[in-house]
Amino acid sequence: MHLDLVDLRLMVHIAEANSMTRGAELSFISLPAASTRVKNLEAGIGTKLLYRTSQGVTLTPPGQALVHHARMVLGQIEHLWGDMQEYARGIKGHVRVFANTTALGEYLPPVLRAYLSKNPDVNIDLRERLSHDIVRAVTEGQTDIGIVAGLVRTESLETLPYRHDRLALVVAQGHELGQRPEVAFAETLDYDYVGLHESSAIHAFLRRECDQLHRSIKQRIQVSNFEAACRMIEAAVGVGILPESAARRHAQTMAITIVPLTDPWALRKMLICVRSLEALPGFARELVELLVEDARQAEGA
């Protein structure tokens, strides 16, 4: 069986478009050439990859498996070219880190500052993702290091304990919920909300919790970061759910009140996850060690 990058890109494009014609166009080859390539793939593998109907094409189970691996291979090729370009500019290392909202906004900046200062020839690609997406990205090799929180399955990965993260309700001083010792998330849904932007991990997490309650958040305004959220909450625009660490930092200068949530999911254990710590380049392992040490010092403080 012979596979080349053109075949892999073609199958991915066909899967995304559910169309042989559109897949060929996206791959910049003719329809007859695309059809021949797919037939040769099927002959080489010994099974059908596509169901062909008058409405278009869909993947067979072997086709789904092929496209899954094709996306991984093509992603690795893109990373390879990106790294080679970095090396050509004098960069000797490139670390990819996917993290949840709290880790990215609260804990990582000082650690990464220290790491980059010590390693001027290493670049870091830092992105915010949902924990389940981070696990998948680490598993598939899209990122080197992941930082996740909450109940997420990581059986196939190596994990290291990181920090504990608690989500809490934040309200303006004088708000009626601010007089409560604690509150359930469901009770807060009767009030207007100050929310984080839709691409944030916390926004997606809360939306999923609302779906389980068959409720919705009455979003009054969306902001881009924790500080902006606290300022809007202080101005009585609405209430919000934020990491307690961020809320306590801003409560030192703003008239806001923090109310613990009774929901079990509010307390979340954070983990560092990698496919194989031993397989990471030395400069990437150094970052993991720095993260673990930072967390250890924070727990002991």
Side-chain angles (χ1 to χ4, degrees):
M1 181 178 65
H2 174 72
L3 292 171
D4 62 28
L5 295 181
V6 176
D7 291 334
L8 298 182
R9 288 194 180 93
L10 173 62
M11 285 300 300
V12 170
H13 288 150
I14 290 172
E16 290 173 347
N18 289 325
S19 166
M20 180 79 76
T21 301
R22 183 58 181 154
E25 291 175 355
L26 292 170
S27 302
F28 301 103
I29 61 177
S30 67
L31 179 58
S35 181
T36 299
R37 281 184 173 273
V38 172
K39 288 178 181 178
N40 289 341
L41 273 177
E42 291 177 329
I45 295 172
T47 187
K48 290 290 185 183
L49 299 174
L50 299 173
Y51 295 121
R52 296 166 175 83
T53 69
S54 57
Q55 284 75 40
V57 296
T58 56
L59 297 173
T60 64
Q64 293 173 358
L66 176 65
V67 168
H68 170 73
H69 288 288
R71 288 192 173 112
M72 292 174 61
V73 170
L74 293 172
Q76 289 297 323
I77 292 293
E78 289 180 7
H79 292 331
L80 169 63
W81 282 115
D83 285 351
M84 292 304 100
Q85 291 172 350
E86 296 284 354
Y87 290 132
R89 294 199 295 268
I91 296 298
K92 297 180 181 178
H94 195 111
V95 187
R96 298 175 181 84
V97 181
F98 284 10
N100 71 330
T101 308
T102 307
L104 188 147
E106 290 298 303
Y107 305 133
L108 289 182
V111 177
L112 296 182
R113 181 180 64 241
Y115 176 81
L116 290 171
S117 176
K118 185 179 178 182
N119 297 273
D121 54 357
V122 176
N123 278 354
I124 292 178
D125 180 4
L126 176 62
R127 304 188 186 188
E128 179 184 348
R129 293 290 188 274
L130 288 170
S131 291
H132 290 87
D133 295 334
I134 294 170
V135 168
R136 183 171 64 250
V138 175
T139 303
E140 295 180 353
Q142 297 176 28
T143 189
D144 303 303
I145 301 168
I147 300 179
V148 301
L151 299 176
V152 57
R153 302 184 62 163
T154 59
E155 290 94 336
S156 63
L157 303 177
E158 291 185 27
T159 61
L160 297 165
Y162 186 45
R163 289 176 178 256
H164 288 86
D165 164 43
R166 181 182 292 276
L167 296 177
L169 176 71
V170 183
V171 300
Q173 286 186 4
H175 192 283
E176 58 182 333
L177 289 180
Q179 314 306 314
R180 301 270 296 275
E182 58 184 12
V183 65
F185 174 61
E187 296 179 78
T188 72
L189 297 176
D190 294 329
Y191 299 85
D192 289 337
Y193 251 78
V194 174
L196 296 173
H197 55 90
E198 291 185 356
S199 61
S200 72
I202 286 181
H203 173 88
F205 175 79
L206 293 179
R207 184 173 58 189
R208 190 162 59 237
E209 292 300 320
C210 284
D211 290 342
Q212 294 187 18
L213 294 169
H214 304 292
R215 300 280 302 277
S216 61
I217 290 178
K218 296 191 289 186
Q219 196 103 273
R220 187 69 171 166
I221 190 172
Q222 281 186 311
V223 296
S224 61
N225 55 58
F226 298 147
E227 180 181 0
C230 288
R231 291 199 180 281
M232 291 297 102
I233 293 169
E234 180 185 35
V237 173
V239 304
I241 302 292
L242 297 174
E244 187 175 350
S245 57
R248 291 202 178 281
R249 176 161 52 84
H250 293 301
Q252 296 176 13
T253 58
M254 299 183 198
I256 56 177
T257 300
I258 302 166
V259 185
L261 291 170
T262 60
D263 305 82
W265 50 256
L267 179 61
R268 305 188 298 170
K269 182 172 69 172
M270 301 176 71
L271 297 172
I272 300 168
C273 55
V274 297
R275 280 201 294 179
S276 169
L277 192 60
E278 185 177 344
L280 285 177
F283 54 82
R285 285 200 304 274
E286 183 181 344
L287 176 56
V288 173
E289 292 167 1
L290 198 61
L291 289 168
V292 171
E293 180 59 26
D294 174 70
R296 186 180 297 119
Q297 291 180 2
E299 291 290 330

